[in-house]
Amino acid sequence: MRAVIETTHGDAERAAMVAAALTPDNTDEMKTTVDGETVRTVIERESTGGLHATVDDYVVNCTVADELTQTQS
């Protein structure tokens, strides 16, 4: 199973900050990259349930990271 999540953050600096905040929580099944204002994370898990749980956690973490970078701009 695979999920690809792409989020945009207004500019490259904010995207880099969001990715930097997310990367320490990545498991071996996750890879986060930045392209301009876009953060792209690929998550691969063997089960649908595992994928769902990982995506759910990631979305919460991404939301918090994005909100924190808004206050830094």
Side-chain angles (χ1 to χ4, degrees):
M1 303 286 143
R2 176 189 288 194
V4 179
I5 302 169
E6 290 186 351
T7 54
T8 56
H9 301 278
D11 61 51
E13 183 179 1
R14 277 191 57 211
M17 287 191 291
V18 169
L22 293 170
T23 301
D25 289 331
N26 283 1
T27 64
D28 291 340
E29 298 90 6
M30 300 170 71
K31 181 176 180 181
T32 299
T33 58
V34 179
D35 183 15
E37 67 179 26
T38 302
V39 175
R40 182 177 194 261
T41 300
V42 178
I43 303 168
E44 295 189 34
R45 296 293 304 266
E46 289 188 22
S47 70
T48 301
L51 182 64
H52 180 265
T54 303
V55 168
D56 188 49
D57 288 345
Y58 175 86
V59 169
V60 170
N61 292 342
C62 187
T63 300
V64 171
D66 184 63
E67 288 174 2
L68 290 173
T69 61
Q70 286 179 14
T71 62
Q72 299 297 316
S73 297

